[in-house]
Amino acid sequence: MRVALNDVADRIIHHVENGLDRPVNGPVTVRSHLAQDLQLDSMESVALLAELEDHYGVTMPVQVFQRAQTLGDVAEAVVEVLERHGGQGT
């Protein structure tokens, strides 16, 4: 099964809205900037990365968050990894 970018983005947004130990100011969208808008620290980024790895059953390179500026960037990176692993997703 191929995983759609929108589905990955929805999963990421859900995690940010519900999985952090603190409230997030403002709406969370694919355009939300990881540092400026969401103020994700390194531990929160690692937790998001681990959640995505667990959900999709793949190993995500840490560089995803080093290159990503927005949640949309993270979603695109996840889809790229999934496509390299045969489009698997749940």
Side-chain angles (χ1 to χ4, degrees):
M1 161 176 60
R2 286 191 59 122
V3 64
L5 180 61
N6 288 341
D7 294 338
V8 174
D10 289 346
R11 178 119 196 129
I12 293 169
I13 290 169
H14 181 276
H15 176 84
V16 170
E17 290 177 334
N18 300 294
L20 299 180
D21 291 333
R22 62 179 171 80
V24 177
N25 294 329
V28 179
T29 71
V30 293
R31 293 188 184 125
S32 296
H33 193 277
L34 300 173
Q36 293 172 342
D37 300 328
L38 304 173
Q39 299 173 345
L40 288 184
D41 63 25
S42 59
M43 293 301 290
E44 291 168 332
S45 295
V46 168
L48 174 58
L49 191 62
E51 194 277 331
L52 293 167
E53 288 179 332
D54 288 346
H55 181 76
Y56 293 109
V58 295
T59 300
M60 298 293 303
V62 176
Q63 293 82 1
V64 166
F65 283 97
Q66 293 172 340
R67 291 187 309 253
Q69 300 277 325
T70 66
L71 291 181
D73 295 340
V74 175
E76 289 174 4
V78 170
V79 169
E80 285 178 26
V81 170
L82 292 173
E83 286 176 351
R84 278 184 275 181
H85 286 88
Q88 299 301 311
T90 56

